Amino acid sequence: MAQDTAQQAPTAPATPARALLPLILPALVVGVGASLLLLGVEAAAEQLQDVLWQDLPDALGVGRYSALWMLVVLTSTGVLVGLVVWKVPGHAGPDPATIGLNAPVLPPAVLPGLLLAAALMLAGGPSLGPENPVIAVNAGLAFWLGRRLFPRSPEEGWVALAEAATIGALFGTPVAAALIVSEALAGRTVRGPLWDSVFAPLAAGAAGAITTTLVAEPAFDLHLPPFGQPGWSDLLAALVVASVAALLGMCAVHAFPYVHGGFARLRHPMLALPVGGLVLGLLGALGGHLTLFKGLEEVEELARDPDGWSAGEFTTMAVVKLAALVVAASCGFRGGRIFPSVFVGTALGLGVHALVPAVQPALGVAAGVLGVLLAITRQGWVSLFTAAVLVSSPAILALLCIASLPAWLLVTGRPQMQLRADGTSVR
């Protein structure tokens, strides 16, 4: 009976090729443009970062990463970003605690301020990445320019292209973009085959990834000691590390609305952001300079010497970085949470290796990153992809898939690291 019903159920027809072909050129243009904007923001931020953290302290004769200089630079960054949020038209967009990777379409007047706030944040050292503000800017530009050139085109189409293009540019591969788009489509009614809906975003993601690869040559493989044939002890280690990492991430998620509420009581960006910067400076002095910035280059430094710190030092860096992520995301800095979460998971995984040497560094890092990302982002496919690409070991992938199951049970249905306008957590 069920078989007869399934056979009689109508299926939406596939999109003809003539309808998909016109999407390729806009997708390629959006992909290249999104990548260039991301690279431009990061390049400008790196230039300013060199001035703030190398040229100025050297000229003044103070330590580049001394506790005093961390306090000065991070508090000053809070002041500068606070001025942007207070005075620049559009106030650098909505409260970043209320938005995730799925960016709202912002008015064009908001975008310059948001870009400026993101660049200042990246240079100054708060523990956030570029993804959320850059996705929002790319989505806004794609929507307003696309609708101007093609008035009858749907709004969500341009936003999906921009999101996929930026994710592809961030990771240097369209695979991450395809996974995010597929996960977003899971809760919607899809007409026709899924691949028809993914076709244009995948083209945009591919264009963004290729552009980034040609210009910047990004690499995510940490070149950790190779992982051999997995055994039962490796499976147990993956299950435990991923679950512990997920629980650690959930500690940050549960603290998030309370920390955000504390900064919200200051009622003005020129109070909340400088105070947040001061707290971040104190955390940086506690955890060391590796716990500053978005964390990607710092992860590579950790991976170059996986036995260079003790289990306590690795754990301290993981906890401090997670606390810095919560503070930066709560007080109003514009940024994303993926790359800082990668640092937290890496430090935690290497800490487990230092405590239990039988846990190989690659396995500890991959499982740690998987668990933290699942808790912070709730993006299952992207969490698996990021954890796997960091260690480039096909043998670990099966272990990660199994380890993701208990980790997901620990986080699903619980509050997320995103708030509603009234300050309550999204579930």
Side-chain angles (χ1 to χ4, degrees), residues 159-392:
V159 174
L161 291 181
E163 291 177 353
T166 310
I167 294 296
L170 278 166
F171 287 94
T173 171
V175 176
L179 292 173
I180 286 181
V181 172
S182 299
E183 199 160 5
L185 291 174
R188 305 176 188 174
T189 302
V190 179
R191 300 176 61 183
L194 175 64
W195 202 250
D196 286 349
S197 300
V198 177
F199 181 84
L202 183 58
I210 291 172
T211 303
T212 298
T213 301
L214 292 175
V215 175
E217 299 181 356
F220 287 90
D221 185 3
L222 297 180
H223 302 290
L224 290 164
F227 181 77
Q229 189 68 24
W232 290 109
S233 61
D234 296 316
L235 175 59
L236 177 61
L239 291 168
V240 172
V241 174
S243 298
V244 170
L247 289 173
L248 179 62
M250 286 305 299
C251 291
V253 172
H254 284 293
F256 186 55
Y258 298 102
V259 178
H260 180 270
F263 283 108
R265 291 188 183 94
L266 298 177
R267 297 184 179 277
H268 199 285
M270 285 303 295
L271 290 175
L273 281 155
V275 170
L278 176 62
V279 175
L280 291 173
L282 294 171
L283 288 171
L286 175 64
H289 73 278
L290 290 180
T291 60
L292 301 178
F293 306 106
K294 67 180 181 181
L296 197 56
E297 294 179 2
E298 291 71 26
V299 162
E300 294 173 356
E301 187 168 343
L302 289 181
R304 277 197 292 269
D305 190 9
D307 298 309
W309 291 268
S310 67
E313 289 171 326
F314 277 124
T315 304
T316 298
M317 286 190 282
V319 172
V320 168
K321 185 71 172 181
L322 192 61
L325 168 59
V326 173
V327 171
S330 299
C331 69
F333 284 110
R334 272 53 178 170
R337 301 155 197 169
I338 292 177
F339 294 123
S341 299
V342 169
F343 181 96
V344 175
T346 299
L348 179 65
L350 291 177
V352 172
H353 165 69
L355 184 65
V356 184
V359 178
Q360 298 186 48
L363 179 61
V365 166
V369 169
L370 171 65
V372 175
L373 280 177
L374 283 174
I376 299 297
T377 70
R378 304 298 162 89
Q379 299 275 349
W381 286 121
V382 172
S383 301
L384 272 170
F385 168 79
T386 305
V389 79
L390 288 173
V391 298
S392 295

Side-chain angles (χ1 to χ4, degrees), residues 54-154:
Q54 296 180 24
D55 298 345
L56 273 179
D58 290 351
L60 296 172
V62 299
R64 291 181 175 180
Y65 293 106
S66 64
L68 175 61
W69 192 246
M70 289 184 190
L71 290 171
V72 169
V73 174
L74 282 157
T75 304
S76 300
T77 301
V79 172
L80 292 174
V81 176
L83 284 171
V84 173
V85 175
W86 181 27
K87 290 295 187 181
V88 173
H91 306 289
D95 183 351
T98 63
I99 59 176
L101 287 177
N102 298 323
V105 177
L106 301 175
V110 177
L111 306 184
L114 180 55
L115 270 186
L116 179 58
L120 290 171
M121 180 278 300
L122 290 172
S127 295
L128 294 172
E131 59 272 18
N132 286 17
V134 174
I135 287 175
V137 172
N138 280 331
L141 290 174
F143 171 77
W144 292 105
L145 292 176
R147 290 296 296 270
R148 192 176 185 87
L149 296 173
F150 305 96
R152 297 182 180 180
S153 59

